[in-house]
């Protein structure tokens, strides 16, 4: 079987095993202390590490190989993820370079990828996971970002302690790209939409197809096209054959899944949010109440317009700060004029410039003394 085609080597938590310092990309580093190898993927290796400055444990990703093209793709992953702040998407904390090696410090998520956990999940949990994946993808799509490599190894599940199911994080936007303009074929063959093999660009619809294929694999207990012995045979099945969903006992769920996996993009759900709603209806699950965090993520995903001048001034101040010419700025204005979004854009630019960003919040009418600095000092 083409294991590499069905799901490339997952970057996921493994048993923490002490490793010699020679196995890490940087032998001696005063910034991060390496703790363990977490996994290896198509773009690089991921390590568990501790930030020596603020004692925060992170997932540290280094690019594999060299060359300008790979470096650009690595920087692209950081830019894409830094722009999105959603509970279902792994957060980028810092981007930098050490000894000529580019790295990304990301939120460390303790859990199992679907690649490992799929056999232990209930039907309700499987549907809920793809629902959450579709929601996270929709926020990314609203920001003009296509993931292009949704597969079980890139969906990390964390079992909730209150027994309410599974919370997830969508990982690895290393193959992601803007939704405008063409791009070469990239991804994991068995989860790629048929049109991609004809030279069509990746779209939100191809991400929906990939999410549908992951759900089909979860529900059937195997990939619908498992068993092919060559990449050519697998690609032919993807392009020409409809997945066999006859084993599914719920005909409504099979119908929704069949639409998501349609060979013609226009016949699929119009977007990831529509797929999410149709999936919940077919599984007779209620649409959960949208949290404030999710609502804010949609607002931040919208195109940034109207404050380009202010952002340019703050970016100039950021660049001067990097040259040891610091300054303090007050951003003021009426409620709803875009102050928070402006600061978020600046935060994203700072992260991809390897600047350590702290955030504090306080209110004028309540709260303890120095509350503004509490989270910073922690």
């Amino acid at each position: 079987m083409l294991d590499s085609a069905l799901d490339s080597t997952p970057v996921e938590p493994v048993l923490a095993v002490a490793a010699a310092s020679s196995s890490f990309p940087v032998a001696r580093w005063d910034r991060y202390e390496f703790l363990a190898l977490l996994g290896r993927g198509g773009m690089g290796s991921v390590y568990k590490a501790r930030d020596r400055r603020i004692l925060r444990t992170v997932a540290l990703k280094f690019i594999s190989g060299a060359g300008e093209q790979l470096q650009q793709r690595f920087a692209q992953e950081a830019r894409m993820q830094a722009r999105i702040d959603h509970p279902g998407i792994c957060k980028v904390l810092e981007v930098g370079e050490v000894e000529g090696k580019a790295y990304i410090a990301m939120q460390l998520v303790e859990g199992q990828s679907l690649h490992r956990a799929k056999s232990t999940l209930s039907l309700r949990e499987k549907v809920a996971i793809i629902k959450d994946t579709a929601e996270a993808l929709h926020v990314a799509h609203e920001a003009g970002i296509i993931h292009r490599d949704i597969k079980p190894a890139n969906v990390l599940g964390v079992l909730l302690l209150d027994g309410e199911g599974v919370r997830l994080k969508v990982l690895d936007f290393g193959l992601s790209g803007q939704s405008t303009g063409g791009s070469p074929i990239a991804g994991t063959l068995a989860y790629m939409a048929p049109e991609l093999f004809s030279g069509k660009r990746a779209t939100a619809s191809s991400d929906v197809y990939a999410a549908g294929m992951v759900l089909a694999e979860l529900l059937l207990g195997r990939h619908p096209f498992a068993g092919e012995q060559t990449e050519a045979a697998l690609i032919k099945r993807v392009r020409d054959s409809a997945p066999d969903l006859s084993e599914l006992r719920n005909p409504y769920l099979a119908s929704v899944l069949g639409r998501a996996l349609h060979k013609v993009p226009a016949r699929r759900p119009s977007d990831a949010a529509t797929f999410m709603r149709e999936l919940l209806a077919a599984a007779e699950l209620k649409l959960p109440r949208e949290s404030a965090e999710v609502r804010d993520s949609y607002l931040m995903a919208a195109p940034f317009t109207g404050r380009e001048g202010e952002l340019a001034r703050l970016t100039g101040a950021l660049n001067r700060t990097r040259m040891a010419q610091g300054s303090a700025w007050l951003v003021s204005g009426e409620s709803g004029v875009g102050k928070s979004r402006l600061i978020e854009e600046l935060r994203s630019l700072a992260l991809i410039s390897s600047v350590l960003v702290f955030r504090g919040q306080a209110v004028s009418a309540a709260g303890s003394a120095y509350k503004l600095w509490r989270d910073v000092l922690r």
Side-chain angles (χ1 to χ4, degrees):
M1 181 181 296
L2 278 173
D3 292 333
S4 60
L6 287 175
D7 201 352
S8 61
T9 305
V11 175
E12 58 179 275
V14 295
L15 292 176
V17 179
S21 60
S22 60
S23 65
F24 295 117
V26 184
R28 293 181 178 86
W29 194 4
D30 59 1
R31 175 61 197 281
Y32 286 100
E33 175 190 359
F34 292 105
L35 301 177
L37 172 68
L38 294 180
R40 301 186 188 277
M43 278 197 66
S45 300
V46 181
Y47 302 90
K48 184 176 181 179
R50 181 180 293 108
D51 189 329
R52 299 180 189 272
R53 293 192 298 184
I54 57 176
L55 304 180
R56 174 176 61 189
T57 304
V58 302
L60 205 60
K61 182 173 184 177
F62 281 88
I63 191 171
S64 58
E68 183 177 353
Q69 185 177 6
L70 281 177
Q71 293 285 351
Q72 289 176 349
R73 281 183 58 195
F74 194 74
Q76 174 177 278
E77 173 179 351
R79 288 195 297 270
M80 295 300 165
Q81 285 188 251
R83 287 178 55 195
I84 307 172
D85 188 9
H86 182 275
I89 296 176
C90 187
K91 293 181 180 179
V92 169
L93 304 174
E94 182 194 356
V95 183
E97 183 177 309
V98 57
E99 296 183 1
K101 303 178 180 70
Y103 69 87
I104 301 176
M106 299 175 291
Q107 174 188 13
L108 178 66
V109 184
E110 303 285 358
Q112 283 190 315
S113 76
L114 294 187
H115 183 83
R116 290 174 177 262
K118 57 189 177 184
S119 62
T120 65
L121 299 171
S122 68
L123 172 62
R124 180 187 180 91
E125 288 172 335
K126 292 174 181 177
V127 172
I129 282 174
I130 301 304
K131 185 275 295 182
D132 288 346
T133 302
E135 181 185 87
L137 285 175
H138 186 61
V139 171
H141 296 162
E142 288 290 291
I145 299 166
I146 307 302
H147 190 285
R148 295 173 62 195
D149 197 24
I150 291 296
K151 57 184 178 181
N154 279 343
V155 179
L156 193 68
V158 184
L159 294 177
L160 297 181
L161 298 179
D162 57 8
E164 290 297 321
V166 176
R167 179 175 59 241
L168 65 82
K169 295 285 183 182
V170 177
L171 308 178
D172 205 350
F173 278 70
L175 292 177
S176 60
Q178 297 290 344
S179 59
T180 56
S183 57
I185 289 181
T188 304
L189 294 182
Y191 304 93
M192 292 169 61
E195 64 271 14
L196 300 181
F197 297 107
S198 300
K200 301 292 180 63
R201 65 182 178 88
T203 64
S205 181
S206 57
D207 272 356
V208 169
Y209 176 94
M213 189 60 78
V214 172
L215 179 58
E217 182 174 345
L218 289 177
L219 297 178
L220 295 173
R222 65 185 185 285
H223 192 283
F225 298 141
E228 298 299 342
Q229 299 300 313
T230 66
E231 290 188 358
L234 176 60
I235 293 173
K236 180 174 175 56
R237 287 282 304 276
V238 170
R239 297 182 64 172
D240 301 336
S241 303
D244 183 5
L245 304 176
S246 60
E247 294 181 26
L248 299 183
R249 297 181 179 180
N250 184 329
Y252 303 105
L253 190 57
S255 176
V256 171
L257 195 51
R259 286 212 318 124
L261 296 176
H262 203 284
K263 304 299 180 186
V264 180
R267 300 289 296 276
R268 297 174 198 149
S270 58
D271 53 40
T274 301
F275 177 46
M276 175 183 69
R277 291 191 294 269
E278 292 181 356
L279 188 61
L280 290 176
E284 298 182 339
L285 297 175
K286 292 182 179 180
L287 184 65
R289 187 174 181 178
E290 194 174 68
S291 67
E293 192 176 10
V294 170
R295 287 196 299 271
D296 287 345
S297 69
Y298 280 107
L299 293 175
M300 294 301 175
F304 180 75
T305 58
R307 291 286 179 266
E308 292 82 1
E310 291 89 342
L311 182 60
R313 293 182 64 188
L314 291 173
T315 302
L318 172 64
N319 292 334
R320 290 190 294 275
T321 299
R322 297 178 63 200
M323 296 184 290
Q325 300 176 24
S327 58
W329 289 74
L330 172 65
V331 179
S332 63
E334 297 180 0
S335 177
V337 298
K339 301 186 298 298
S340 297
R341 178 61 189 273
L342 175 63
I343 296 301
E344 278 299 309
E345 289 294 321
L346 183 66
R347 181 190 70 86
S348 296
L349 290 173
L351 285 175
I352 63 177
S353 300
S354 193
V355 174
L356 189 60
V357 178
F358 292 102
R359 176 187 297 174
Q361 186 173 4
V363 294
S364 59
S368 58
Y370 307 109
K371 182 179 179 181
L372 177 65
W373 304 103
R374 183 178 62 183
D375 292 337
V376 174
L377 294 174
R378 282 179 174 177

